[in-house]
């Protein structure tokens, strides 16, 4: 089970979220049949979305992250609700790249480094909030950190990691997100910085048997902090036949007519989960008729 926990310092100046997203990333690999480097890239983005989505105010809120870095992966998209439930897809899940100079999966090379991270937050208001920042490295955690610093003026530390086994399954995956409030004391920032400099990668800590709580306590060592809340977010799609029909209905009348006349059946596949929805030409023709009358 995926597990997400949050800790808050007693003075309220720092909040630390930690996610064990091993199952979430394993399922992404199963759905999208991703190569190793793509599993790492998409898994990191999905966990980043889950951590950020959980930080929104209510369960109905939703958050979208999109990386467009000009790399061979194309665009990567992850969406999360306010409980951290996430779905994700990428344009090209089959990228193969040699390991990078540090002997790691080359996520930056896969996503590309020349582009943007787009963040959309739909908080149920009239207009969704959007923020966009230039990518730092395409490694995703650094890009999220940069987004918070630039777009939300919130000093943030983010770590995300996916450990892919030689048989391409996901061995461990996890991440953390720490936000520092504007009123945080300088000493708090200094303690956190020291902790961050000294900790191993998240996947290493999970491999060593540490739980998300252990990791949070390590990140906040030296600060007084208590558990705030916790959740078991899932990889979960929100698609349905009705929603898919709505997407088709948004097409213009001419496109719908052509589809109805030329295709024996109309198949729509969900990008996020691969589910297939089939529509008969008569249904599409009816949608076109409805366009005419409205
Ligand atoms: Zn779906």
């Amino acid at each position: 089970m995926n597990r997400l926990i949050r800790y808050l310092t007693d003075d309220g100046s720092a909040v630390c979220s930690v996610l064990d997203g091993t199952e979430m990333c394993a399922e992404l690999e199963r759905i999208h049949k991703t190569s190793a480097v793509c599993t790492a890239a998409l898994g990191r983005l999905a966990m980043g979305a889950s951590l950020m989505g959980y930080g929104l105010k209510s369960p109905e809120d939703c958050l979208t992250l999109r990386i467009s870095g000009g790399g061979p992966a194309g665009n990567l998209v992850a969406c999360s609700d306010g409980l951290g439930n996430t779905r994700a897809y990428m344009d090209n899940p089959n990228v193969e790249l040699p390991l990078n100079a540090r002997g790691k999966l080359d996520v930056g090379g896969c996503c590309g480094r020349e582009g943007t991270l787009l963040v959309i937050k739909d908080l149920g208001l009239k207009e969704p909030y959007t923020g966009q920042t230039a990518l730092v490295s395409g490694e995703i955690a650094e890009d999220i950190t940069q987004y918070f610093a630039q777009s939300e003026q919130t000093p943030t530390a983010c770590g995300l990691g996916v450990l892919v086994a030689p048989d391409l399954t996901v061995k461990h995956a996890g991440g953390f997100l720490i936000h520092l409030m504007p009123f945080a004391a300088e000493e708090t920032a200094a303690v956190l910085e020291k902790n961050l400099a000294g900790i191993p990668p998240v996947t290493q800590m999970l491999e060593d048997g540490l739980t998300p709580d252990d990791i949070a306590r390590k990140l906040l060592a030296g600060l007084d902090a208590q558990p705030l809340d916790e959740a078991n977010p899932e990889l979960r799609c929100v698609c349905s036949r009705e929603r898919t029909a709505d997407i088709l209905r948004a097409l213009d009348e001419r496109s719908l007519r052509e589809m109805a006349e030329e295709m024996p059946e109309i198949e729509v596949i969900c990008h996020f989960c691969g589910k297939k929805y089939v529509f008969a030409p008569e249904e599409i023709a009816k949608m076109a008729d409805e366009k005419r009358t409205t």
Side-chain angles (χ1 to χ4, degrees):
M1 204 186 291
N2 303 295
R3 187 168 146 79
L4 197 166
I5 52 117
R6 288 201 300 178
Y7 276 65
L8 182 68
T9 56
D10 291 352
D11 66 0
S13 69
V15 57
C16 171
S17 319
V18 181
L19 169 67
D20 179 341
T22 304
E23 269 190 24
M24 186 182 280
C25 294
E27 215 170 325
L28 276 175
E29 191 272 330
R30 285 194 293 268
I31 292 173
H32 297 284
K33 307 201 170 31
T34 37
S35 65
V37 69
C38 288
T39 303
L42 196 60
R44 285 187 201 176
L45 192 69
M47 291 191 294
S50 180
L51 285 160
M52 287 171 69
Y54 191 66
L56 300 176
K57 287 196 181 72
S58 81
E60 295 82 44
D61 293 343
C62 63
L63 174 129
T64 301
L65 298 182
R66 193 186 73 199
I67 296 255
S68 309
N75 294 315
L76 292 86
V77 177
C79 305
S80 170
D81 66 17
L83 298 171
N85 298 309
T86 298
R87 59 197 194 276
Y89 76 87
M90 64 199 295
D91 289 341
N92 179 10
N94 308 313
V95 179
E96 299 286 352
L97 287 174
L99 297 179
N100 66 19
R102 292 178 300 131
K104 307 272 185 203
L105 292 169
D106 188 4
V107 171
C110 178
C111 296
R113 299 173 180 90
E114 305 294 320
T116 52
L117 167 64
L118 175 71
V119 178
I120 305 169
K121 287 192 217 174
D122 191 343
L123 308 174
L125 305 169
K126 222 186 214 168
E127 292 285 324
Y129 161 91
T130 62
Q132 186 167 286
T133 44
L135 295 177
V136 181
S137 63
E139 296 279 335
I140 299 173
E142 286 168 327
D143 304 304
I144 289 175
T145 302
Q146 168 86 346
Y147 160 79
F148 276 107
Q150 273 190 5
S151 270
E152 302 202 7
Q153 285 80 45
T154 307
T156 297
C158 181
L160 297 165
V162 181
L163 185 64
V164 182
D167 68 357
L168 297 183
T169 57
V170 172
K171 204 158 176 230
H172 295 289
F176 65 83
L177 194 62
I178 306 173
H179 293 312
L180 210 54
M181 302 302 142
F183 59 85
E186 265 177 46
E187 301 86 77
T188 308
V191 170
L192 283 173
E193 226 163 276
K194 192 173 136 262
N195 292 347
L196 284 163
I199 64 155
V202 185
T203 46
Q204 180 64 55
M205 291 192 275
L206 292 171
E207 175 99 323
D208 292 343
L210 271 64
T211 65
D213 293 84
D214 297 332
I215 295 170
R217 281 192 284 265
K218 244 176 141 62
L219 287 163
L220 299 172
L223 300 171
D224 295 318
Q226 311 299 329
L228 179 64
D229 49 21
E230 59 176 83
N232 296 111
E234 292 175 351
L235 194 76
R236 188 190 288 176
C237 198
V238 297
C239 68
S240 66
R241 197 166 200 287
E242 197 41 46
R243 277 181 190 236
T244 309
D246 285 343
I247 295 168
L248 289 170
R249 269 188 211 105
L251 297 172
D252 61 65
E253 192 197 332
R254 202 178 131 195
S255 311
L256 289 168
R257 290 249 180 264
E258 282 175 5
M259 234 188 258
E261 279 159 25
E262 288 164 20
M263 297 160 98
E265 60 178 27
I266 292 84
E267 195 179 276
V268 183
I269 295 171
C270 174
H271 278 317
F272 288 103
C273 70
K275 201 166 172 186
K276 206 186 280 178
Y277 295 94
V278 179
F279 294 84
E282 298 76 42
E283 285 176 276
I284 304 293
K286 201 170 150 233
M287 288 178 193
D289 292 344
E290 282 164 8
K291 285 262 159 180
R292 176 154 294 174
T293 54
T294 52

